[in-house]
Amino acid sequence: MSTQNSAAAAGRPVLVTDVLRERIVEGDLPPGTPLRDVALSAELGVSRNTLREALRTLHDEGLVTQQLHKGTAVKTLSAEDVTDIYIARRTLELSAIDASPLAPEPLLDAMEAKVAAAELAVSAEAWDKVGTASLRFHQSLVALLCSARLDGFFRVTIAQLRLAFAVMADQGAFQAPWVARDREICDLVRGGRRADAAAALRLYLDDSERTVLDAVRANSRTTTAAKGKR
Amino acid sequence: MSTQNSAAAAGRPVLVTDVLRERIVEGDLPPGTPLRDVALSAELGVSRNTLREALRTLHDEGLVTQQLHKGTAVKTLSAEDVTDIYIARRTLELSAIDASPLAPEPLLDAMEAKVAAAELAVSAEAWDKVGTASLRFHQSLVALLCSARLDGFFRVTIAQLRLAFAVMADQGAFQAPWVARDREICDLVRGGRRADAAAALRLYLDDSERTVLDAVRANSRTTTAAKGKR
DNA sequence: GAACTGAGACTGTTGAACAATCTGGTTGCC
DNA sequence: GGCAACCAGATTGTTCAACAGTCTCAGTTC
C-alpha cells in the first residue's frame, strides 16, 4: 500500500520508461548524455534488468541510440532526422485536414481547446510551455484521422522532435507567432476551408522545418568543433 | 528500425525478437497463443531476462498483448484494429501516390520489381507467398515518401495485419486478382496518372478491408462460440 | 611520436532466488 | 446438490550477484 496505482496496472519497466522519457523530452537529459545502466538503476531504485527493458523501449521509440558494448545515449538528431520527421508531419497533418469533414465533433472541440491552451500559455508568457502546448494542438489535429496507431506514431515522432527543441536557444516571445498560425489553421479547419487550411499548414511546416534545421545544424557545428578542439 | 543492420552488431535480444516475430507473422504461432517465458527461453536457449526484453519489443510493435501477472499472448486482432490499420494504410499509401512525382527513380524501379515478384509467385501458384509479396509492393509504395520513420511504422502496421491473414482460410487462386490490381496501380503511378492511381488504390483498400473484416469477424465468432461451449 | 599493453570500467547475458498474483480444484458448509 | 471460501501449484514480475566480452585510456616501450 505504499504507492497507489491510480490508473491501470503498470509494471515497473513502463514506469521507469515514462520517467526517463519525460526527462529526455523535457531537456533534463540533453542529447548525447550517456545513460549508464548501473548508475541509473541505482538512482531510480530498480534493478539493472528492469532499467534495460526501459532503455530498449526508448530505443524502439527513437529517443536513444544503442551501440553494442558502447551503451545507450540520448539521441542527437541529425539534419536527415529532422527532414524525415517533417515528411511524416506533412503526411499525417495534411491527411488529417483532408479527413476533417468526417471527424466527430468532440475531436474538433478538443482541437480547439488545445489551441486555446497554447494561447493561454502565450498570454501568460510561459514560453517554456508554449512549444509543448503548440505540439499538443498538432497532435489533436492528427487525432481527427481516428486511428490510434497513427496517434501513437505521431506522439513518438513529436517526442523525437522535442530532442531538437531541447538544444534550441530559448526564443522567448518569438514563439508567439507560431501559436497565432495554429489558431489560423484551426479556424480554417473548423470553417471547412480545407484547401486554405492545407496551404497554411504547408507554409507553417516549411517555416518550422527551416527553423529546426538551422538549430540542429548550428548545434552540430558547435559540438563537432568542441570535439575537434579537444 | 530494429532489423536494419544485417551485417554485425546485433545483440541477442533483437535476434530473439526477430525469430519470434517471424513465427508470429508467419502464422506459426496463431493469435491467442500464450508465450510463456520460461518455456520459450529454454527453447530458444536464452535467459528469461533476454526473452523478456524481446517480448517487450513485440508488445511495443503491437504483435502481442501483455497483461500484468497474466503474461504475454499473440495478439488477436479486433474489428476496430482492422479499421484502424486500414485508416493508416489509406493515409500513407494515398500520400505516397501524391508524392510519387518527386520520388527518385530507383524507388519507382524497386516498386515495379515488387509487383513483378508478386506476379511471379502467382504464376508459380505459390499462394502462401502471394500475400506477403503483395504487401511488399505496398511497402515499396510507401517508400516513395522517403521517410525512414514512415517506412518503419508501415512495416509494423503490416506485420499486425498479417496476424489477421494467419487466421484467414487459405484462398488459393482467389488471391490472384489482388496482384492484378497491384499491377494496375503500379502502372498508373509510373504513368503519372495520380488521380486514377489514387482512385484504384482507394477501391482496392476498401475491398481488402472488407475481406479482412469478414475474416476477423468470422474468427471471433468461432472462438467465442468455442469458449462458450467449453 | 607511434604502437603495444594492461588495468579498470562498463556492457551483455546468465542463473537463481523470492514475492506477488493468477488458476483450478478441493474442502467445507448450507 | 450447489456455492463460497480456500488452498496449492504454476506463472509472472523483479531483484541480485556473478562472469565473460569489449571498450577506453593512460602508461610503457621502442
Side-chain angles (χ1 to χ4, degrees):
Chain A
M1 208 177 278
S2 50
T3 52
Q4 282 284 15
N5 280 345
S6 55
R12 277 188 224 219
V14 318
L15 263 284
V16 173
T17 305
D18 290 345
V19 169
L20 288 179
R21 181 172 31 229
E22 192 67 12
R23 289 193 190 175
I24 291 172
V25 301
E26 219 57 55
D28 199 350
L29 297 170
T33 306
L35 302 176
R36 308 252 170 62
D37 53 13
V38 54
L40 270 182
S41 59
E43 177 185 343
L44 297 179
V46 298
S47 83
R48 247 178 100 210
N49 288 318
T50 300
L51 190 97
R52 277 176 73 72
E53 276 191 52
L55 290 182
R56 179 159 298 277
T57 295
L58 293 176
H59 171 71
D60 292 343
E61 294 179 359
L63 290 178
V64 303
T65 60
Q66 282 186 322
Q67 290 180 25
L68 200 60
H69 288 137
K70 288 185 68 175
T72 307
V74 180
K75 171 145 185 168
T76 302
L77 282 193
S78 68
E80 291 75 28
D81 288 320
V82 174
T83 61
D84 196 302
I85 288 172
Y86 273 88
I87 289 174
R89 287 195 67 174
R90 282 189 195 88
T91 301
L92 297 196
E93 299 191 39
L94 290 171
S95 295
I97 288 180
D98 264 6
S100 59
L102 297 156
E105 197 65 26
L107 290 183
L108 291 166
D109 293 341
M111 181 181 71
E112 187 136 22
K114 300 297 183 187
V115 176
E119 288 170 333
L120 200 66
V122 168
S123 60
E125 301 189 0
W127 305 120
D128 54 333
K129 304 245 194 330
V130 172
T132 303
S134 175
L135 286 178
R136 270 205 260 268
F137 157 66
H138 291 266
Q139 177 87 49
S140 70
L141 176 62
V142 171
L144 299 183
L145 286 164
C146 297
S147 164
R149 281 165 182 77
L150 289 177
D151 288 349
F153 171 70
F154 194 74
R155 186 177 316 117
V156 168
T157 305
I158 288 302
Q160 292 178 26
L161 192 55
R162 292 179 70 184
L163 287 172
F165 285 10
V167 301
M168 283 173 69
D170 198 2
Q171 302 162 312
F174 291 101
Q175 292 192 327
W178 296 111
V179 175
R181 294 171 80 173
D182 289 339
R183 163 59 71 186
E184 179 197 359
I185 293 166
C186 175
D187 289 346
L188 286 172
V189 169
R190 291 227 75 162
R193 299 173 58 185
R194 289 191 302 177
D196 294 336
L201 178 59
R202 224 177 260 279
L203 289 178
Y204 177 107
L205 290 176
D206 287 348
D207 291 344
S208 176
E209 178 179 11
R210 224 180 337 261
T211 304
V212 177
L213 265 181
D214 287 346
V216 166
R217 291 198 174 113
N219 183 261
S220 77
R221 257 197 304 278
T222 61
T223 52
T224 53
K227 190 158 80 174
K229 204 175 72 168
R230 193 172 59 91
Chain B
M1 274 282 200
S2 51
T3 62
Q4 51 193 3
N5 283 342
S6 56
R12 277 189 225 218
V14 318
L15 265 284
V16 173
T17 305
D18 290 345
V19 169
L20 289 178
R21 179 170 35 228
E22 191 68 11
R23 288 193 191 175
I24 290 172
V25 301
E26 218 58 55
D28 198 350
L29 296 170
T33 307
L35 302 176
R36 309 253 169 66
D37 53 14
V38 53
L40 270 182
S41 60
E43 177 185 343
L44 297 179
V46 298
S47 84
R48 244 179 104 211
N49 286 317
T50 300
L51 190 95
R52 251 173 159 291
E53 275 191 54
L55 291 182
R56 179 159 298 277
T57 295
L58 293 175
H59 171 71
D60 292 343
E61 294 178 359
L63 291 177
V64 303
T65 60
Q66 281 186 321
Q67 291 180 27
L68 201 60
H69 289 133
K70 289 186 67 177
T72 307
V74 180
K75 169 145 188 170
T76 302
L77 282 192
S78 68
E80 291 75 28
D81 287 321
V82 173
T83 60
D84 197 300
I85 288 171
Y86 273 87
I87 289 174
R89 287 195 67 175
R90 283 189 195 88
T91 301
L92 296 194
E93 299 191 39
L94 290 172
S95 294
I97 288 180
D98 264 6
S100 59
L102 296 156
E105 196 65 27
L107 290 182
L108 291 166
D109 294 341
M111 181 181 70
E112 187 136 22
K114 301 296 183 186
V115 176
E119 289 170 333
L120 201 66
V122 168
S123 60
E125 300 187 1
W127 305 120
D128 55 333
K129 304 248 200 317
V130 171
T132 303
S134 176
L135 286 179
R136 271 205 259 269
F137 157 65
H138 291 265
Q139 177 85 50
S140 69
L141 176 61
V142 170
L144 298 184
L145 286 165
C146 298
S147 164
R149 281 165 182 77
L150 289 177
D151 289 348
F153 170 71
F154 194 76
R155 187 178 315 119
V156 168
T157 305
I158 289 302
Q160 293 178 25
L161 192 56
R162 292 180 69 184
L163 287 172
F165 285 8
V167 300
M168 283 172 71
D170 199 3
Q171 302 164 313
F174 291 100
Q175 292 193 328
W178 297 110
V179 175
R181 294 171 80 173
D182 289 339
R183 163 60 71 186
E184 179 197 359
I185 292 165
C186 175
D187 289 346
L188 286 172
V189 169
R190 291 228 75 163
R193 299 173 57 186
R194 289 192 301 177
D196 293 336
L201 177 60
R202 224 176 260 279
L203 289 177
Y204 178 106
L205 290 176
D206 287 347
D207 290 344
S208 176
E209 178 179 13
R210 223 178 341 259
T211 305
V212 177
L213 264 180
D214 287 346
V216 166
R217 290 198 175 112
N219 183 260
S220 78
R221 260 196 303 278
T222 60
T223 52
T224 53
K227 190 156 79 175
K229 204 175 71 171
R230 192 169 61 91

